[in-house]
Amino acid sequence: MFGVLNTTPDSFSDGGRFVDPERAIAHGLELVRQGADVVDVGGESTRPGAEPVPPEEELRRVVPVVRGLVEAGAAVSIDTRRGVVAEAALDAGARTVNDVDGGRDPELLRVAAASGADLVLMHSRGPAASSGGYGDVVADVAVDLRRRVDAALAAGVAPERVVLDPGIGFSKTAAENWSLLAAIEALRVDDLRMLVGVSRKRFLGELVPGAPETRDGVTAVLSALLAERGVWGLRVHDPASTRAALEVAQRMRVAA
């Protein structure tokens, strides 16, 4: 399970809460105590309409936090779309590159290949893309993921290091998100691992109106259902509730 740690002032769920490195590190360690296996550190908001952040600012936000978490014994992933940020975070001790732009930066692919780190390739049309407009969203996303995998392998990333993310909530309508989740098995490429993040996403607000934090319950239920269907990793803001939901599902399997 990946615990989300945003060091940004403008993320949709917790923007501004963890811009101070010490506070961010403390929260990251709390995510681990709640059940996160990996702390996913991001320094650039990916919410719709967010302004791009200069690389220098992204580095300033994330590198001290990555280093502090690693020194405290946490496994860390860097959530970025830039090779220069990925390289600095890996040098600081991160083990995984979570590429929110699907490897469109050739430098990021080079860094991932040279480091031997795990590489998450998330489906996205880019930060300026609008939602919707797919012909068949499941088929289109599957084709796009295949292309991103091919690009990563061509750059020298070992196949066993590649993880796929269908990019739920990124340039997709609520109906398209549900279609992708319902057909999650159809998005597999070469039996690679899959990471899915539905946590607190806007489309869940149709079920639970209110602040993003009120969506943790439905996030936990949906995450557990995805795990039952073979999803390898879950990206969540509240590991405790999702960990409990996974335990419920496990006990049901054992009792059956």
Side-chain angles (χ1 to χ4, degrees):
M1 187 186 309
F2 285 52
V4 179
L5 176 55
N6 295 313
T7 63
T8 60
D10 57 346
S11 291
F12 81 97
S13 174
D14 51 9
R17 293 180 60 191
F18 307 114
V19 293
D20 175 72
E22 290 188 6
R23 189 172 183 183
I25 292 166
H27 183 64
L29 296 177
E30 176 59 25
L31 293 173
V32 173
R33 283 190 287 272
Q34 289 183 16
D37 303 293
V38 179
V39 181
D40 192 37
V41 179
E44 182 180 51
S45 175
T46 55
R47 67 173 176 79
E51 291 294 325
V53 173
E56 299 78 13
E57 175 62 16
E58 189 178 358
L59 287 164
R60 186 192 68 78
R61 293 175 181 178
V62 301
V63 171
V65 176
V66 171
R67 184 176 293 112
L69 287 169
V70 170
E71 290 175 353
V76 176
S77 169
I78 181 63
D79 179 329
T80 188
R81 59 190 175 91
R82 295 185 172 107
V84 64
V85 176
E87 186 166 37
L90 291 169
D91 287 345
R95 302 179 186 177
T96 302
V97 178
N98 182 11
D99 184 357
V100 296
D101 206 22
R104 288 182 174 83
D105 179 1
E107 178 66 11
L108 187 146
L109 293 181
R110 184 198 68 77
V111 167
S115 69
D118 278 358
L119 172 64
V120 181
L121 297 171
M122 193 193 81
H123 181 270
S124 171
R125 288 177 165 178
S130 58
S131 296
Y134 293 90
D136 178 329
V137 67
V138 175
D140 290 351
V141 170
V143 168
D144 287 346
L145 288 173
R146 171 79 266 177
R147 290 172 178 158
R148 302 323 305 158
V149 170
D150 289 345
L153 298 182
V157 180
E160 64 270 18
R161 293 299 185 184
V162 179
V163 180
L164 298 182
D165 182 339
I168 300 299
F170 285 79
S171 305
K172 300 169 183 76
T173 65
E176 288 167 344
N177 290 326
W178 287 116
S179 293
L180 289 171
L181 293 169
I184 198 72
E185 294 93 342
L187 301 177
R188 293 191 178 278
V189 176
D190 298 342
D191 204 31
L192 298 174
R193 293 171 290 169
M194 187 170 290
L195 173 72
V196 180
V198 297
S199 185
R200 299 181 179 177
K201 292 290 176 73
R202 184 179 301 180
F203 77 103
L204 295 179
E206 296 180 355
L207 301 174
V208 185
E213 292 85 352
T214 65
R215 304 166 195 165
D216 286 338
V218 289
T219 292
V221 171
L222 183 51
S223 295
L225 290 171
L226 290 167
E228 289 288 293
R229 295 174 67 175
V231 168
W232 167 79
L234 304 163
R235 186 176 183 274
V236 300
H237 293 82
D238 181 52
S241 58
T242 295
R243 185 66 68 185
L246 293 171
E247 179 64 23
V248 168
Q250 171 66 17
R251 295 196 181 197
M252 290 291 287
R253 282 196 303 273
V254 171

